[in-house]
Amino acid sequence: MGVYYATVWPRWSDMDSYRHVNHAQTITLLEEARLQLLYGEGARHGAGMVDGGLVVARLEAVYHAPLFVNGNPFRVALSITRMRVADFTIHQEVHCGPSEDDKVGVVADVTLAPYDLENERPRRLTDAERDFLAGWRSGGD
């Protein structure tokens, strides 16, 4: 597999006074794309990671071009670039439109850690979670 492609739809309210998606809303669109992979695909493969708790440990976003709200969705490519015992990193590339031919506007690397909600502490990835994430592994360490 290697790369998962999500489609996210910006809302009119995501637009700032410069008529492009502002930073905070871009981070929300990145989250929506991750949820499609981790919750949607994960649940289909018996590894619904969001159900057990998952926290963002680190997020870095680099902007290459503005994302405009123009009635079209954005294509987001996601792949796992790092997996450790208790966290993993997802690389995300947001295209400025719905096609792979649309230029990449935002590149983000997000490190997520599974979290035990009941005991209020980080936890290790389960075997099912590791197997699921390995299917979306692409490059990295």
Side-chain angles (χ1 to χ4, degrees):
M1 294 185 279
V3 179
Y4 177 83
Y5 296 98
T7 300
V8 294
W9 287 86
R11 294 161 295 274
W12 183 257
S13 61
D14 292 345
M15 190 170 41
D16 64 15
S17 61
Y18 298 109
R19 297 180 27 182
H20 67 307
V21 178
N22 72 35
H23 169 73
Q25 297 312 114
T26 299
I27 300 306
T28 298
L29 293 173
L30 289 166
E31 179 182 42
E32 289 176 12
R34 286 193 309 274
L35 287 174
Q36 289 179 38
L37 172 62
L38 298 174
Y39 188 72
E41 282 299 304
R44 282 191 273 288
H45 294 279
M49 302 184 69
V50 177
D51 293 338
L54 197 59
V55 297
V56 173
R58 182 174 190 276
L59 186 147
E60 178 183 16
V62 178
Y63 295 85
H64 299 281
L67 302 173
F68 290 101
V69 179
N70 61 10
N72 292 317
F74 301 127
R75 175 186 171 105
V76 184
L78 301 94
S79 60
I80 307 301
T81 55
R82 187 180 73 167
M83 247 193 322
R84 299 190 315 176
V85 174
D87 68 24
F88 59 97
T89 300
I90 299 179
H91 179 77
Q92 296 181 253
E93 295 183 356
V94 183
H95 291 258
C96 294
S99 167
E100 68 182 305
D101 296 328
D102 290 311
K103 64 183 164 187
V104 174
V106 180
V107 175
D109 289 297
V110 183
T111 300
L112 299 159
Y115 194 79
D116 180 341
L117 296 171
E118 186 176 316
N119 295 307
E120 298 181 346
R121 62 181 179 87
R123 65 172 179 82
R124 293 175 178 243
L125 289 164
T126 66
D127 289 340
E129 291 166 343
R130 292 184 70 74
D131 290 345
F132 170 73
L133 293 170
W136 301 105
R137 187 124 188 186
S138 174
D141 56 356

